[in-house]
Amino acid sequence: MVAQSHIRLEKDQNYHNQICLSCIAGCYGCRWKRYRRSKDPSSIREKIFAGIATLSFMFSTFWLYYWIIADNDAYDFNRFIATGTHSYFDWYSLFYALTIVMVVYTGVLVAFAVSHLVIGLQLHLHWSHKCLVIVNIAGCVASAIVLSQMWPSSYRLLVISFHMTGPFLQITAVVVVTGIGWLVCSSFFRISNAAVKYSIMTVYAILVLFTYLSPLLMYAPCLKSSSTPPRPTIIAHKGAPQLAPENTHVSFETSLNYNISGLESDVHISLDGQLFLLHDYTFEFTSNIASVFPDRVREPASNFTWEEIQTLDVGSWFLERDPFNNVRRLSPEQRELYRQQKVMLLNDLLQLAVVNDKSVVFDLKPPHEGNPYAENYVNYTITEILEHKDLKAYKLWWLVNQESDVSYVRSITDDLLITAEGRWDVSTLNRVHITNINAEYSEVSDSDIRQYSSSNITSNIYQVGKEWMYSLFWCEGATSVTSSACQTLSTVQSPHSFVKPGGYLALWITVDIISAAAIVAFFFLHRNKYGPQTRRKSDKELLFGAKKPSPQESEGDSPVRTPQEILNAADATQKDSLHDNEVVGFQLQ
């Protein structure tokens, strides 16, 4: 009798190993022990923190997407920070890795919170998790503010990316809102307040409808059914800087192996009038100036004579820093060749372009005030360039920033292809007879590029380093792109797209129909589980206990009991339960 009562009590209280349940409650709220868990309703405070954890996960996911897209400018991002700190470090990879960690961490917390809701456990987020998710949100907000001031063009890049990733993100959003439908349908039948549950269902219905119809608001040029524009040509930015030290002979010569149409660089003037190639304003990050001229590390490059500049090694830094993680692929001969690189003259670049029939694009940097050519550096540069009689006019781009520059340059020579720098109106370009523009991806929109194309104005977009960006500007009709990754873009033979233009409509409709069917199925499943009939049956079983029906009940002749008989039966059940507990307690003693 005693043993049977003890066994029945263990069976009723379900004393068996619950490893999965312990992990869920333990990892989420440190409630590893069974007695610490509860199925009582969660407090408002815990529900709020569950929402904060979800918000933290959403912020982290956004930043993960941001860093994936910003990989196009990763090196420039590191160089920008290095300019302020005077020390180079791969900050981009660090932030990228931290973001991945936070996405996984907050995603697991959200999964545990959803598991609590599905199982019916009381929410209880541990204080350490609460602190971390709040710190994560604060870090995400602070990062957004800082980057908006330091690197505003990256947000334009984010918007541009949606033109390529929009179809994929829409399908992902449909999957997410469909999964949320399970919780919404469950809450609809479990919440007793009619106003609350109908409000939740209305908001959810609006969200679902917007997600289903969002492709109508989407601009995805690579999904258009019209014919694809001509393939944009590639202009090598600083040569092939991902494969060799930038702005060196070996870098430009390497870029010639990748079917490029032009060479691009920044030009400075030395104290003795030599035009040389350098991207930055100092030699700090791309030379060994710290060992040759330790007191002049941060001095403007235009304050050096050509003889001094020639003493600098501008190749070894690439081997030591390995900014693109490809030095290990270099042979010993290549490494030695890189160590021998010196600063390159503009004259050498022009000669290389003439021999290989390539265009030349360069941005002339104004010299420092102490330079003797500070007042007439434009005249001087044009005179030096015109000495190359073999260089055709349309092969040399001269960048101008305003209308006054156009008339000034034309007063000197007509042998240059005057190119508008940045975004210019079509009417202005037609008025000053300019047929070529050179703009950063953040300066022009897709509509600008289409207008340029329809007005027979060629457009060059910089800096394009990823295949998806190259595909996007290809579909939008850009004439050419400037890239530091010519070795990558040269392999793209057709625009990349999530799906074929004709197939996205069918995929969009199919996914929406499957999602709608799943949500309807969730609704009816939860109605059968939490509906009124199910609740009445559960209440009876909770009060009287499940029992085998008598023969009369099986035949449909169920005896009718009075309210007093029901209460007497409940009291008898309670007394039996107390008696069993006393017996078990006695045995334990």
Side-chain angles (χ1 to χ4, degrees):
M1 174 73 179
V2 173
Q4 291 178 354
S5 299
H6 178 68
I7 292 172
R8 193 181 75 179
L9 183 62
E10 287 185 344
K11 183 177 180 181
D12 291 343
Q13 295 190 359
N14 200 22
Y15 276 95
H16 59 270
N17 292 329
Q18 298 176 329
I19 298 177
C20 183
L21 192 62
S22 297
C23 288
I24 293 174
C27 294
Y28 186 79
C30 204
R31 291 183 169 182
W32 299 96
K33 301 296 184 180
R34 188 193 311 269
Y35 70 88
R36 299 188 65 184
R37 299 194 290 267
S38 172
K39 290 194 175 184
D40 294 337
S42 302
S43 65
I44 299 297
R45 178 183 177 184
E46 291 300 329
K47 291 179 180 178
I48 291 175
F49 272 107
I52 293 175
T54 303
L55 184 64
S56 180
F57 171 70
M58 294 172 63
F59 277 22
S60 299
T61 303
F62 166 81
W63 279 106
L64 178 60
Y65 178 82
Y66 175 90
W67 291 118
I68 292 174
I69 298 302
D71 187 36
N72 180 77
D73 297 335
Y75 183 65
D76 292 337
F77 175 76
N78 291 332
R79 285 277 285 267
F80 179 81
I81 297 179
T83 302
T85 61
H86 301 287
S87 176
Y88 184 87
F89 180 76
D90 192 359
W91 291 101
Y92 171 83
S93 296
L94 176 61
F95 293 147
Y96 193 1
L98 289 176
T99 303
I100 292 175
V101 171
M102 292 310 301
V103 167
V104 174
Y105 168 68
T106 55
V108 170
L109 286 184
V110 172
F112 284 150
V114 172
S115 300
H116 276 67
L117 297 176
V118 172
I119 297 172
L121 285 178
Q122 184 186 61
L123 289 171
H124 177 75
L125 185 63
H126 194 259
W127 65 267
S128 60
H129 294 321
K130 294 176 180 177
C131 294
L132 284 175
V133 296
I134 292 176
V135 169
N136 183 52
I137 291 176
C140 290
V141 173
S143 299
I145 296 173
V146 171
L147 287 175
S148 66
Q149 301 296 322
M150 295 175 53
W151 199 19
S153 62
S154 62
Y155 288 105
R156 172 59 183 163
L157 180 62
L158 200 65
V159 174
I160 292 174
S161 71
F162 293 139
H163 296 166
M164 282 297 291
T165 62
F168 171 76
L169 295 178
Q170 189 268 340
I171 292 177
T172 304
V174 170
V175 174
V176 172
V177 298
T178 303
I180 295 175
W182 178 272
L183 296 176
V184 172
C185 293
S186 173
S187 301
F188 181 80
F189 289 105
R190 295 172 67 177
I191 295 176
S192 58
N193 190 314
V196 173
K197 68 180 185 179
Y198 281 108
S199 297
I200 294 175
M201 186 60 74
T202 301
V203 172
Y204 177 69
I206 294 174
L207 176 63
V208 170
L209 188 63
F210 174 78
T211 306
Y212 286 172
L213 300 180
S214 59
L216 298 176
L217 306 175
M218 191 183 303
Y219 173 72
C222 291
L223 292 180
K224 295 185 298 183
S225 58
S226 58
S227 59
T228 304
R231 183 176 186 267
T233 59
I234 302 171
I235 297 175
H237 180 236
K238 299 181 293 186
Q242 296 183 4
L243 304 177
E246 64 183 49
N247 287 320
T248 60
H249 279 280
V250 67
S251 182
F252 287 107
E253 290 171 353
T254 301
S255 68
L256 294 173
N257 299 325
Y258 297 103
N259 192 29
I260 62 171
S261 63
L263 306 171
E264 190 276 345
S265 182
D266 298 303
V267 177
H268 298 257
I269 303 178
S270 67
L271 280 176
D272 49 355
Q274 293 293 330
L275 298 169
F276 63 93
L277 310 184
L278 181 66
H279 181 71
D280 301 326
Y281 279 95
T282 69
F283 292 107
E284 181 176 5
F285 298 109
T286 56
S287 74
N288 64 337
I289 191 172
S291 60
V292 179
F293 301 106
D295 298 332
R296 305 174 67 184
V297 172
R298 300 174 189 173
E299 190 171 339
S302 58
N303 282 1
F304 290 79
T305 65
W306 178 242
E307 183 180 358
E308 292 172 332
I309 293 173
Q310 280 296 89
T311 62
L312 299 177
D313 170 11
V314 293
S316 296
W317 71 270
F318 185 85
L319 301 175
E320 297 167 358
R321 195 177 301 161
D322 192 13
F324 300 100
N325 300 314
N326 57 9
V327 171
R328 64 183 181 276
R329 301 187 182 95
L330 300 176
S331 65
E333 293 77 13
Q334 288 176 309
R335 295 173 186 242
E336 182 60 30
L337 178 61
Y338 288 6
R339 293 189 182 96
Q340 298 173 4
Q341 295 304 300
K342 298 296 182 178
V343 176
M344 190 175 180
L345 288 170
L346 174 61
N347 183 63
D348 297 331
L349 179 65
L350 296 177
Q351 186 62 36
L352 188 65
V354 169
V355 172
N356 293 276
D357 192 27
K358 303 297 182 183
S359 299
V360 174
V361 183
F362 67 88
D363 188 7
L364 181 61
K365 302 296 185 181
H368 194 259
E369 293 180 358
N371 191 294
Y373 298 91
E375 298 297 331
N376 64 338
Y377 69 97
V378 174
N379 283 348
Y380 178 79
T381 303
I382 293 177
T383 303
E384 292 291 314
I385 289 174
L386 294 179
E387 292 183 2
H388 287 268
K389 302 297 183 181
D390 296 332
L391 191 63
K392 300 177 183 179
Y394 68 89
K395 290 290 185 179
L396 183 57
W397 298 14
W398 184 274
L399 305 181
V400 294
N401 294 293
Q402 52 192 357
E403 287 188 54
S404 58
D405 295 337
V406 178
S407 56
Y408 179 73
V409 173
R410 283 180 176 159
S411 66
I412 301 174
T413 181
D414 291 328
D415 294 334
L416 300 175
L417 177 60
I418 298 181
T419 302
E421 173 65 26
R423 182 192 178 279
W424 288 41
D425 294 333
V426 173
S427 58
T428 304
L429 293 173
N430 290 332
R431 185 173 63 252
V432 296
H433 306 291
I434 291 179
T435 59
N436 190 35
I437 69 110
N438 180 66
E440 188 180 14
Y441 64 77
S442 61
E443 296 177 313
V444 292
S445 64
D446 51 275
S447 60
D448 291 330
I449 296 176
R450 290 196 299 271
Q451 288 181 14
Y452 294 145
S453 178
S454 61
S455 302
N456 295 321
I457 298 173
T458 56
S459 56
N460 178 68
I461 309 299
Y462 68 91
Q463 215 279 74
V464 177
K466 296 299 176 180
E467 295 181 6
W468 69 266
M469 284 189 71
Y470 183 63
S471 299
L472 177 62
F473 288 114
W474 183 345
C475 295
E476 290 182 346
T479 311
S480 61
V481 299
T482 298
S483 176
S484 297
C486 55
Q487 76 282 357
T488 299
L489 303 190
S490 62
T491 62
V492 180
Q493 300 303 318
S494 61
H496 292 183
S497 178
F498 174 59
V499 291
K500 298 297 182 183
Y504 179 65
L505 178 62
L507 180 62
W508 166 31
I509 296 175
T510 301
V511 170
D512 286 358
I513 291 175
I514 294 175
S515 171
I519 294 173
V520 172
F522 293 162
F523 183 86
F524 284 104
L525 285 173
H526 285 289
R527 191 185 71 168
N528 294 335
K529 183 178 181 180
Y530 298 109
Q533 294 181 354
T534 305
R535 284 200 298 269
R536 286 197 298 269
K537 181 178 179 181
S538 299
D539 292 342
K540 289 181 180 179
E541 291 179 352
L542 182 62
L543 180 59
F544 304 116
K547 66 184 184 67
K548 185 177 180 179
S550 63
Q552 293 82 3
E553 292 173 340
S554 300
E555 295 174 0
D557 298 331
S558 301
V560 178
R561 295 190 293 178
T562 64
Q564 186 61 41
E565 290 176 339
I566 295 176
L567 294 176
N568 292 338
D571 292 339
T573 302
Q574 185 177 6
K575 290 179 180 180
D576 290 342
S577 177
L578 293 174
H579 175 70
D580 290 344
N581 290 339
E582 291 174 359
V583 172
V584 173
F586 176 76
Q587 183 183 12
L588 293 175
Q589 292 176 359

